[in-house]
Amino acid sequence: MGIFSALMGNAGAVSQEELLKKYGQLLTENEQIEMGFKLIRDTFIFTNKRLILIIVQGLTGSKTEYKSIAYKSITRFSVETAGTFDLDAELKIWVSSELNPSIVKQFNKSVNVYEVQKVLAYHVLG
């Protein structure tokens, strides 16, 4: 099911150690990775200060965009849990006053979407 989920574009959890090793240079002083997920080539990381989206572009994947979103600019978010026959759950994040979600990500069942929601709620509402 893991390969099938990856091919369907679903996100899987990545260890903090792996994320720190690969993306530690993106962090500011006193910034820590709380959780992260990988979608085939893209990665998104929740830190104690912001959300970092790492978007790999092009066929060869040689071009990468690092998008940083401050938690204070997130105006709302939603988590849709996987149903009985669904393979995944969905996270939607609205930035500033946009009408449509700025970020939409699919999670496979190995990811506890309630934990993702908890981290977002802590930073956005706190």
Side-chain angles (χ1 to χ4, degrees):
M1 187 64 84
I3 292 174
F4 180 71
S5 291
L7 292 174
M8 294 298 292
N10 295 336
V14 181
S15 73
Q16 289 177 332
E17 295 79 23
E18 185 180 336
L19 292 169
L20 188 59
K21 182 178 178 183
K22 192 166 183 179
Y23 301 111
Q25 70 272 14
L26 298 174
L27 302 177
T28 64
E29 191 172 318
N30 299 320
E31 186 174 19
Q32 298 172 345
I33 294 173
E34 295 183 346
M35 61 182 2
F37 303 94
K38 182 146 180 78
L39 270 155
I40 302 176
R41 299 191 317 171
D42 299 342
T43 304
F44 52 109
I45 301 169
F46 293 94
T47 76
N48 60 325
K49 297 183 181 275
R50 61 190 163 143
L51 173 61
I52 303 171
L53 300 173
I54 299 132
I55 303 162
V56 178
Q57 301 172 348
L59 293 174
T60 62
S62 59
K63 186 176 179 182
T64 305
E65 176 184 10
Y66 299 93
K67 187 181 291 189
S68 179
I69 301 168
Y71 291 121
K72 66 181 179 182
S73 68
I74 297 174
T75 55
R76 59 189 165 132
F77 60 90
S78 71
V79 174
E80 182 179 312
T81 60
T84 305
F85 299 107
D86 295 333
L87 295 175
D88 56 349
E90 186 174 67
L91 167 69
K92 295 179 184 177
I93 300 174
W94 286 261
V95 176
S96 297
S97 60
E98 293 181 355
L99 296 177
N100 296 317
S102 307
I103 301 162
V104 177
K105 297 292 180 186
Q106 301 290 320
F107 294 86
N108 63 30
K109 286 196 176 200
S110 70
V111 175
N112 183 343
V113 293
Y114 295 105
E115 287 299 314
V116 175
Q117 187 278 149
K118 189 176 183 179
V119 171
L120 268 173
Y122 176 80
H123 290 296
V124 173
L125 302 175

